[in-house]
Amino acid sequence: TERELLERFEETVGKDRRIEPRDWMPEGYRATLIRQIAQHAHSEIIGMQPEGEWITRAPSLRRKAILFAKVQDEAGHGLYLYSAAETLGADRDDLTERLISGRQKYSSIFNYPTLSFADVGVIGWLVDGAAICNQVPLCRTSYGPYGRAMVRICKEESFHQRQGYELLMTMMGGTPAQREMVQDAVNRWWWPSLMMFGPPDADSPNTARSMAWKIKRHTNDELRQRFVDMTVPQAERLGVTLPDPGLRWNAGRGHYDFGEPDWAELKRVISGDGPCNAERIARRRAAHEEGAWVREAAAAYAAKRAAGGRA
Ligand code: FAQ
């Protein structure tokens, strides 16, 4: 009966065992996972754009090759995640349609412009840094395919983060103008990076249920704090200032205190009104439409093979 199935599901989750695609699961659990995994996949794909803009303008062949490889990794992450969503019964075409029609979200962070090459370094350091903080615990998420996808994704993100930090270290050892570019990029990306973790816990409608289901392992605020604690010493070592006058070590708490992000800005960006939302979606839509012939050719090829014809 439904009741027994629910008990078995709860027991599995309670014992930190994995739920697998063929297992029974409550519809709310399935819907929450599809929502989160799709949003995550869309973020990886849209996330190719801000840095991708610098591939043709990278300052050396070495930097170009590195950036190319990084952006390609993001495409790979998107693909594993769409596959994970498919194991829950989601349809890939439908997810893409929801993204380009604005019905499904992607991370707010990718709606900010990349104004200089230092932004590439800062995205690696702060944005990939925040992504790692959020995603390492997701390796232990209760849904098997999502957790397993996260393992490889986190390894690659760690490499991306070091790549960004190394780029910034190099620029900080350069001219005063280069150091200013780094500081300017840090000033623009710091607050949006904190917003990646989502609204404050008191204003996060999904956290409690996702924690009970062990989809999420920590709350938004816990992960944001962890990110700040990890990043402050790295900023000191790099020689940049984080643009928050409220940032200071709190010995009593054993954590850094920090200022309040502009939550109204996060709401605006999530609801489609950030600096680059329209541009990002238009570009994704164009890529999808321009790729229609590839999908048609692949489908025709598959149909021919299925009919026993030779390709
Ligand atoms: N942006 O109740 P909560 C990357 C939405 S890393 C946009 O707290 P939840 C790597 C949220 O969906 C970035 N929307 O929600 C990379 C919900 O809306 P809904 C991707 C946001 O799910 C690096 C509503 O607000 N990472 O791509 C944001 O429990 C460099 C209420 O929020 C992931 O997706 C936001 N920042 O917690 C690529 C990680 N925050 O759906 C390229 C997996 C919240 O109810 C270059 N996801 N919302 O209408 C998660 O961990 C969670 O989904 C959270 C949000 C923590 C993002």
Side-chain angles (χ1 to χ4, degrees):
T1 64
E2 179 108 349
R3 197 186 163 75
E4 282 161 359
L5 290 167
L6 182 61
E7 274 167 14
R8 188 166 338 138
F9 168 86
E10 281 172 351
E11 192 191 328
T12 306
V13 170
K15 288 187 171 160
D16 278 337
R17 295 207 196 104
R18 250 66 204 266
I19 303 295
E20 295 297 338
R22 287 189 188 82
D23 294 343
W24 183 90
M25 60 187 86
E27 274 318 300
Y29 177 84
R30 187 185 298 277
T32 297
L33 275 167
I34 292 176
R35 176 183 66 77
Q36 178 167 326
I37 298 172
Q39 171 180 309
H40 195 164
H42 297 330
S43 303
E44 300 281 357
I45 298 298
I46 296 283
M48 295 166 75
Q49 293 186 35
E51 289 169 284
E53 285 175 17
W54 283 93
I55 291 173
T56 56
R57 296 179 286 168
S60 68
L61 184 59
R62 177 170 174 267
R63 292 291 171 196
K64 191 198 281 276
I66 292 170
L67 185 52
F68 229 136
K70 182 192 190 253
V71 171
Q72 215 159 34
D73 284 351
E74 312 297 358
H77 299 172
L79 299 184
Y80 313 144
L81 288 164
Y82 283 127
S83 300
E86 283 178 320
T87 66
L88 290 156
D91 175 75
R92 177 93 163 261
D93 282 339
D94 177 55
L95 296 181
T96 303
E97 196 47 53
R98 284 170 191 269
L99 169 66
I100 61 184
S101 62
R103 279 176 295 150
Q104 244 170 13
K105 300 181 167 82
Y106 58 92
S107 181
S108 51
I109 193 75
F110 303 116
N111 293 306
Y112 293 86
T114 39
L115 304 181
S116 82
F117 196 71
D119 290 38
V120 170
V122 169
I123 289 179
W125 174 38
L126 296 180
V127 176
D128 283 284
I132 292 164
C133 244
N134 167 277
Q135 289 168 32
V136 165
L138 289 176
C139 295
R140 292 184 298 113
T141 193
S142 56
Y143 187 58
Y146 189 30
R148 288 188 290 273
M150 278 301 120
V151 174
R152 175 163 174 184
I153 291 178
C154 285
K155 286 187 178 157
E156 293 182 348
E157 304 280 30
S158 300
F159 196 57
H160 295 172
Q161 202 235 5
R162 279 148 200 256
Q163 168 277 147
Y165 198 68
E166 189 269 345
L167 191 168
L168 296 177
M169 272 292 184
T170 305
M171 286 187 82
M172 289 305 283
T175 64
Q178 285 176 304
R179 282 194 286 278
E180 263 170 46
M181 278 167 71
V182 174
Q183 184 62 59
D184 173 65
V186 170
N187 292 348
R188 286 181 289 105
W189 289 92
W190 174 248
W191 292 107
S193 298
L194 293 186
M195 293 176 198
M196 284 175 73
F197 295 92
D201 293 350
D203 202 19
S204 164
N206 299 302
T207 291
R209 205 163 63 149
S210 287
M211 297 270 290
W213 277 330
K214 298 190 181 171
I215 293 174
K216 284 169 84 163
R217 292 300 197 147
H218 302 280
T219 71
N220 300 355
D221 287 333
E222 283 166 12
L223 293 172
R224 196 170 3 253
Q225 179 72 63
R226 189 179 284 190
F227 173 69
V228 171
D229 290 348
M230 169 183 111
T231 307
V232 174
Q234 296 172 356
E236 284 166 5
R237 179 88 179 75
L238 194 58
V240 297
T241 311
L242 297 172
D244 178 359
L247 194 62
R248 68 178 61 85
W249 179 250
N250 182 326
R253 291 201 308 127
H255 292 290
Y256 284 91
D257 288 338
F258 57 101
E260 191 83 3
D262 180 351
W263 299 122
E265 175 178 323
L266 177 65
K267 279 206 178 114
R268 273 200 309 281
V269 176
I270 291 181
S271 63
D273 197 16
C276 302
N277 297 57
E279 179 187 331
R280 300 287 184 241
I281 290 294
R283 178 95 176 268
R284 181 70 195 90
R285 178 187 288 279
H288 186 64
E289 285 166 3
E290 283 160 19
W293 69 271
V294 179
R295 295 189 294 278
E296 280 159 23
Y301 176 82
K304 200 163 159 187
R305 291 283 296 239
R310 289 180 141 263

Short mmCIF file of all heavy atoms in Angstrom, two decimals, residues 170-212:
data_model
loop_
_atom_site.label_atom_id
_atom_site.label_comp_id
_atom_site.label_asym_id
_atom_site.label_seq_id
_atom_site.Cartn_x
_atom_site.Cartn_y
_atom_site.Cartn_z
N THR A 170 48.49 35.84 -10.57
CA THR A 170 49.37 36.33 -11.65
C THR A 170 49.10 37.81 -11.89
O THR A 170 50.02 38.62 -11.97
CB THR A 170 49.12 35.51 -12.94
OG1 THR A 170 49.29 34.13 -12.63
CG2 THR A 170 50.09 35.92 -14.06
N MET A 171 47.81 38.18 -11.99
CA MET A 171 47.49 39.60 -12.23
C MET A 171 47.91 40.48 -11.06
O MET A 171 48.35 41.61 -11.26
CB MET A 171 45.99 39.77 -12.49
CG MET A 171 45.57 39.28 -13.88
SD MET A 171 43.84 39.68 -14.26
CE MET A 171 43.97 41.39 -14.81
N MET A 172 47.78 39.97 -9.84
CA MET A 172 48.16 40.77 -8.66
C MET A 172 49.67 40.99 -8.63
O MET A 172 50.15 41.94 -8.01
CB MET A 172 47.69 40.11 -7.37
CG MET A 172 46.18 40.15 -7.16
SD MET A 172 45.46 41.80 -7.22
CE MET A 172 45.91 42.44 -5.60
N GLY A 173 50.42 40.13 -9.29
CA GLY A 173 51.87 40.31 -9.38
C GLY A 173 52.25 41.19 -10.56
O GLY A 173 53.43 41.37 -10.86
N GLY A 174 51.26 41.74 -11.25
CA GLY A 174 51.51 42.54 -12.45
C GLY A 174 51.57 44.04 -12.16
O GLY A 174 52.07 44.47 -11.11
N THR A 175 51.04 44.83 -13.06
CA THR A 175 51.10 46.30 -12.96
C THR A 175 50.01 46.82 -12.02
O THR A 175 49.04 46.10 -11.73
CB THR A 175 50.84 46.93 -14.35
OG1 THR A 175 49.50 46.58 -14.74
CG2 THR A 175 51.84 46.42 -15.39
N PRO A 176 50.12 48.09 -11.58
CA PRO A 176 49.04 48.66 -10.76
C PRO A 176 47.70 48.60 -11.49
O PRO A 176 46.66 48.33 -10.85
CB PRO A 176 49.48 50.11 -10.55
CG PRO A 176 50.98 50.08 -10.67
CD PRO A 176 51.28 49.00 -11.68
N ALA A 177 47.70 48.79 -12.79
CA ALA A 177 46.43 48.75 -13.54
C ALA A 177 45.82 47.35 -13.46
O ALA A 177 44.60 47.20 -13.34
CB ALA A 177 46.67 49.15 -14.99
N GLN A 178 46.67 46.33 -13.52
CA GLN A 178 46.14 44.95 -13.43
C GLN A 178 45.58 44.69 -12.03
O GLN A 178 44.52 44.06 -11.89
CB GLN A 178 47.24 43.94 -13.77
CG GLN A 178 47.54 43.88 -15.26
CD GLN A 178 48.71 42.96 -15.57
OE1 GLN A 178 49.81 43.13 -15.04
NE2 GLN A 178 48.47 41.98 -16.42
N ARG A 179 46.28 45.18 -11.02
CA ARG A 179 45.76 44.98 -9.65
C ARG A 179 44.42 45.68 -9.47
O ARG A 179 43.51 45.16 -8.83
CB ARG A 179 46.78 45.49 -8.62
CG ARG A 179 47.93 44.51 -8.42
CD ARG A 179 48.74 44.84 -7.17
NE ARG A 179 49.58 46.01 -7.37
CZ ARG A 179 50.77 45.98 -7.98
NH1 ARG A 179 51.27 44.83 -8.43
NH2 ARG A 179 51.46 47.08 -8.13
N GLU A 180 44.29 46.87 -10.09
CA GLU A 180 43.01 47.58 -10.01
C GLU A 180 41.89 46.81 -10.70
O GLU A 180 40.75 46.80 -10.24
CB GLU A 180 43.12 48.95 -10.69
CG GLU A 180 43.39 50.08 -9.72
CD GLU A 180 43.74 51.37 -10.46
OE1 GLU A 180 43.03 51.70 -11.44
OE2 GLU A 180 44.73 52.00 -10.06
N MET A 181 42.22 46.18 -11.83
CA MET A 181 41.21 45.37 -12.52
C MET A 181 40.70 44.25 -11.62
O MET A 181 39.51 43.97 -11.57
CB MET A 181 41.80 44.74 -13.80
CG MET A 181 41.83 45.65 -15.00
SD MET A 181 42.88 44.98 -16.33
CE MET A 181 41.88 43.62 -16.88
N VAL A 182 41.63 43.62 -10.90
CA VAL A 182 41.24 42.52 -10.00
C VAL A 182 40.33 43.06 -8.90
O VAL A 182 39.26 42.51 -8.63
CB VAL A 182 42.46 41.79 -9.41
CG1 VAL A 182 42.03 40.76 -8.38
CG2 VAL A 182 43.28 41.13 -10.52
N GLN A 183 40.75 44.17 -8.27
CA GLN A 183 39.95 44.73 -7.17
C GLN A 183 38.56 45.13 -7.66
O GLN A 183 37.55 44.86 -6.99
CB GLN A 183 40.67 45.92 -6.53
CG GLN A 183 39.93 46.49 -5.32
CD GLN A 183 39.78 45.48 -4.18
OE1 GLN A 183 40.77 44.97 -3.66
NE2 GLN A 183 38.55 45.15 -3.79
N ASP A 184 38.51 45.73 -8.84
CA ASP A 184 37.22 46.15 -9.39
C ASP A 184 36.30 44.93 -9.63
O ASP A 184 35.11 44.96 -9.31
CB ASP A 184 37.45 46.90 -10.72
CG ASP A 184 36.15 47.20 -11.43
OD1 ASP A 184 35.35 47.98 -10.87
OD2 ASP A 184 35.90 46.63 -12.52
N ALA A 185 36.90 43.85 -10.15
CA ALA A 185 36.09 42.64 -10.40
C ALA A 185 35.60 42.05 -9.07
O ALA A 185 34.45 41.63 -8.96
CB ALA A 185 36.91 41.62 -11.19
N VAL A 186 36.47 42.04 -8.05
CA VAL A 186 36.07 41.52 -6.74
C VAL A 186 34.92 42.36 -6.18
O VAL A 186 33.93 41.81 -5.66
CB VAL A 186 37.27 41.52 -5.75
CG1 VAL A 186 36.82 41.22 -4.33
CG2 VAL A 186 38.32 40.50 -6.20
N ASN A 187 35.02 43.68 -6.32
CA ASN A 187 33.96 44.57 -5.81
C ASN A 187 32.62 44.25 -6.46
O ASN A 187 31.58 44.27 -5.80
CB ASN A 187 34.29 46.03 -6.09
CG ASN A 187 35.48 46.52 -5.30
OD1 ASN A 187 35.94 45.85 -4.37
ND2 ASN A 187 36.02 47.68 -5.66
N ARG A 188 32.64 43.94 -7.76
CA ARG A 188 31.38 43.69 -8.46
C ARG A 188 30.81 42.30 -8.20
O ARG A 188 29.60 42.11 -8.23
CB ARG A 188 31.56 43.91 -9.97
CG ARG A 188 31.66 45.41 -10.34
CD ARG A 188 31.81 45.64 -11.84
NE ARG A 188 33.13 45.23 -12.33
CZ ARG A 188 33.39 44.14 -13.03
NH1 ARG A 188 32.42 43.31 -13.38
NH2 ARG A 188 34.62 43.86 -13.42
N TRP A 189 31.68 41.30 -7.97
CA TRP A 189 31.19 39.92 -7.86
C TRP A 189 30.96 39.43 -6.43
O TRP A 189 30.33 38.39 -6.22
CB TRP A 189 32.15 38.95 -8.59
CG TRP A 189 32.08 39.10 -10.08
CD1 TRP A 189 32.87 39.91 -10.84
CD2 TRP A 189 31.17 38.46 -10.99
NE1 TRP A 189 32.50 39.80 -12.17
CE2 TRP A 189 31.47 38.92 -12.28
CE3 TRP A 189 30.13 37.53 -10.82
CZ2 TRP A 189 30.76 38.49 -13.42
CZ3 TRP A 189 29.43 37.10 -11.94
CH2 TRP A 189 29.75 37.58 -13.22
N TRP A 190 31.48 40.16 -5.43
CA TRP A 190 31.39 39.64 -4.06
C TRP A 190 29.95 39.43 -3.60
O TRP A 190 29.54 38.33 -3.22
CB TRP A 190 32.13 40.57 -3.08
CG TRP A 190 31.93 40.16 -1.65
CD1 TRP A 190 31.24 40.83 -0.68
CD2 TRP A 190 32.43 38.96 -1.02
NE1 TRP A 190 31.27 40.14 0.51
CE2 TRP A 190 31.98 38.99 0.32
CE3 TRP A 190 33.18 37.86 -1.47
CZ2 TRP A 190 32.28 37.96 1.23
CZ3 TRP A 190 33.47 36.84 -0.57
CH2 TRP A 190 33.02 36.90 0.76
N TRP A 191 29.14 40.49 -3.69
CA TRP A 191 27.76 40.37 -3.17
C TRP A 191 26.92 39.40 -3.99
O TRP A 191 26.22 38.54 -3.42
CB TRP A 191 27.10 41.75 -3.05
CG TRP A 191 27.74 42.59 -1.98
CD1 TRP A 191 28.56 43.66 -2.15
CD2 TRP A 191 27.63 42.41 -0.56
NE1 TRP A 191 28.96 44.16 -0.94
CE2 TRP A 191 28.40 43.42 0.06
CE3 TRP A 191 26.95 41.50 0.26
CZ2 TRP A 191 28.52 43.55 1.45
CZ3 TRP A 191 27.06 41.62 1.65
CH2 TRP A 191 27.84 42.63 2.22
N PRO A 192 26.99 39.46 -5.33
CA PRO A 192 26.25 38.44 -6.10
C PRO A 192 26.68 37.01 -5.76
O PRO A 192 25.85 36.09 -5.78
CB PRO A 192 26.58 38.81 -7.55
CG PRO A 192 26.83 40.30 -7.51
CD PRO A 192 27.54 40.52 -6.21
N SER A 193 27.98 36.81 -5.41
CA SER A 193 28.41 35.44 -5.05
C SER A 193 27.71 34.99 -3.76
O SER A 193 27.32 33.82 -3.64
CB SER A 193 29.93 35.38 -4.84
OG SER A 193 30.58 35.72 -6.04
N LEU A 194 27.57 35.91 -2.80
CA LEU A 194 26.87 35.53 -1.56
C LEU A 194 25.40 35.19 -1.82
O LEU A 194 24.80 34.36 -1.14
CB LEU A 194 26.95 36.68 -0.53
CG LEU A 194 28.33 36.99 0.03
CD1 LEU A 194 28.22 38.03 1.15
CD2 LEU A 194 29.02 35.74 0.58
N MET A 195 24.84 35.87 -2.84
CA MET A 195 23.42 35.62 -3.16
C MET A 195 23.19 34.27 -3.83
O MET A 195 22.07 33.77 -3.86
CB MET A 195 22.89 36.73 -4.08
CG MET A 195 22.82 38.09 -3.41
SD MET A 195 22.29 39.32 -4.62
CE MET A 195 22.81 40.83 -3.81
N MET A 196 24.27 33.68 -4.37
CA MET A 196 24.11 32.36 -5.01
C MET A 196 23.52 31.32 -4.07
O MET A 196 22.88 30.37 -4.51
CB MET A 196 25.47 31.83 -5.47
CG MET A 196 26.02 32.46 -6.72
SD MET A 196 27.68 31.84 -7.06
CE MET A 196 27.34 30.17 -7.63
N PHE A 197 23.77 31.49 -2.76
CA PHE A 197 23.30 30.49 -1.79
C PHE A 197 21.80 30.57 -1.54
O PHE A 197 21.26 29.77 -0.78
CB PHE A 197 24.08 30.65 -0.47
CG PHE A 197 25.54 30.34 -0.64
CD1 PHE A 197 26.46 31.32 -0.94
CD2 PHE A 197 25.98 29.02 -0.56
CE1 PHE A 197 27.81 31.03 -1.15
CE2 PHE A 197 27.32 28.71 -0.76
CZ PHE A 197 28.24 29.72 -1.06
N GLY A 198 21.16 31.56 -2.17
CA GLY A 198 19.71 31.66 -2.04
C GLY A 198 19.29 32.62 -0.95
O GLY A 198 20.13 33.19 -0.25
N PRO A 199 17.99 32.82 -0.77
CA PRO A 199 17.48 33.76 0.23
C PRO A 199 17.86 33.31 1.64
O PRO A 199 18.23 32.15 1.84
CB PRO A 199 15.96 33.69 0.04
CG PRO A 199 15.70 32.42 -0.68
CD PRO A 199 16.91 32.12 -1.48
N PRO A 200 17.79 34.22 2.62
CA PRO A 200 18.08 33.83 4.00
C PRO A 200 17.11 32.74 4.45
O PRO A 200 15.99 32.64 3.93
CB PRO A 200 17.87 35.12 4.81
CG PRO A 200 17.26 36.11 3.89
CD PRO A 200 17.41 35.65 2.49
N ASP A 201 17.53 31.93 5.40
CA ASP A 201 16.74 30.76 5.81
C ASP A 201 15.30 31.12 6.14
O ASP A 201 14.36 30.39 5.81
CB ASP A 201 17.38 30.07 7.01
CG ASP A 201 18.71 29.43 6.63
OD1 ASP A 201 19.02 29.37 5.42
OD2 ASP A 201 19.45 29.01 7.54
N ALA A 202 15.11 32.27 6.80
CA ALA A 202 13.77 32.65 7.24
C ALA A 202 12.86 32.93 6.04
O ALA A 202 11.64 32.94 6.17
CB ALA A 202 13.85 33.90 8.12
N ASP A 203 13.47 33.13 4.87
CA ASP A 203 12.71 33.50 3.68
C ASP A 203 12.88 32.45 2.58
O ASP A 203 12.70 32.72 1.40
CB ASP A 203 13.24 34.87 3.22
CG ASP A 203 12.24 35.61 2.36
OD1 ASP A 203 11.05 35.26 2.41
OD2 ASP A 203 12.67 36.52 1.63
N SER A 204 13.27 31.23 2.97
CA SER A 204 13.52 30.16 2.00
C SER A 204 12.44 29.09 2.11
O SER A 204 12.46 28.25 3.00
CB SER A 204 14.90 29.54 2.29
OG SER A 204 15.02 28.29 1.65
N PRO A 205 11.44 29.15 1.22
CA PRO A 205 10.29 28.26 1.38
C PRO A 205 10.62 26.77 1.24
O PRO A 205 9.92 25.93 1.79
CB PRO A 205 9.35 28.70 0.25
CG PRO A 205 10.19 29.48 -0.71
CD PRO A 205 11.31 30.06 0.08
N ASN A 206 11.70 26.44 0.51
CA ASN A 206 11.95 25.01 0.22
C ASN A 206 12.90 24.31 1.19
O ASN A 206 12.97 23.08 1.19
CB ASN A 206 12.54 24.88 -1.19
CG ASN A 206 11.59 25.41 -2.26
OD1 ASN A 206 10.46 24.94 -2.37
ND2 ASN A 206 12.02 26.39 -3.02
N THR A 207 13.65 25.09 1.97
CA THR A 207 14.74 24.47 2.74
C THR A 207 14.27 23.38 3.70
O THR A 207 14.81 22.27 3.69
CB THR A 207 15.56 25.54 3.49
OG1 THR A 207 16.26 26.31 2.52
CG2 THR A 207 16.59 24.91 4.42
N ALA A 208 13.27 23.69 4.52
CA ALA A 208 12.90 22.74 5.59
C ALA A 208 12.54 21.37 5.00
O ALA A 208 13.05 20.33 5.44
CB ALA A 208 11.73 23.29 6.41
N ARG A 209 11.72 21.37 3.95
CA ARG A 209 11.30 20.10 3.38
C ARG A 209 12.47 19.39 2.69
O ARG A 209 12.64 18.18 2.80
CB ARG A 209 10.15 20.32 2.40
CG ARG A 209 9.30 19.07 2.27
CD ARG A 209 7.97 19.36 1.67
NE ARG A 209 8.12 19.87 0.31
CZ ARG A 209 7.21 19.67 -0.66
NH1 ARG A 209 6.12 18.98 -0.39
NH2 ARG A 209 7.40 20.18 -1.84
N SER A 210 13.29 20.17 1.98
CA SER A 210 14.44 19.56 1.29
C SER A 210 15.45 18.99 2.28
O SER A 210 16.11 18.00 1.99
CB SER A 210 15.12 20.57 0.37
OG SER A 210 14.32 20.82 -0.76
N MET A 211 15.55 19.61 3.47
CA MET A 211 16.46 19.09 4.50
C MET A 211 15.88 17.80 5.08
O MET A 211 16.60 16.83 5.33
CB MET A 211 16.65 20.11 5.63
CG MET A 211 17.30 21.39 5.19
SD MET A 211 19.09 21.37 5.31
CE MET A 211 19.30 21.40 7.07
N ALA A 212 14.56 17.79 5.30
CA ALA A 212 13.93 16.59 5.86
C ALA A 212 14.11 15.40 4.91
O ALA A 212 14.30 14.27 5.34
CB ALA A 212 12.44 16.86 6.13
#
